[in-house]
Amino acid sequence: MNIDITGRHIEITPALREFAADKLGKLSKLLDGPVDAHVVLFIEKHRHVAEIQVKSRRGLFSGQEETGDLYASINEV
């Protein structure tokens, strides 16, 4: 699984990177074959937003979630 994590106006900490990789690792078990994921994390005022786009042989899946905590946003997506 290839995971690309981008932070807009924030620094991606190793803990955030590991949390996102752990959550996406569970998804790769469900999808057959190689999976590529692109994660964009950003904070605007009180909004913590996570956008995830996953490409696999089965198709292209994307989602976005906004909460008050970045970890919760990743978990919800």
Side-chain angles (χ1 to χ4, degrees), residues 28-73:
S28 69
K29 293 177 184 177
L30 297 174
L31 301 172
D32 296 332
V35 175
D36 292 328
H38 185 221
V39 180
V40 179
L41 305 173
F42 60 95
I43 298 173
E44 292 178 346
K45 295 186 181 180
H46 63 279
R47 299 177 5 178
H48 295 233
V49 182
E51 298 175 352
I52 298 178
Q53 188 175 48
V54 177
K55 296 178 187 176
S56 73
R57 281 192 272 171
R58 293 182 182 238
L60 177 67
F61 306 98
S62 64
Q64 177 178 339
E65 190 61 42
E66 171 187 331
T67 64
D69 180 36
L70 206 49
Y71 289 96
S73 296

Side-chain angles (χ1 to χ4, degrees), residues 2-15:
N2 183 19
I3 301 173
D4 181 32
I5 301 177
T6 304
R8 292 186 192 156
H9 308 292
I10 62 168
E11 181 180 339
I12 303 299
T13 63

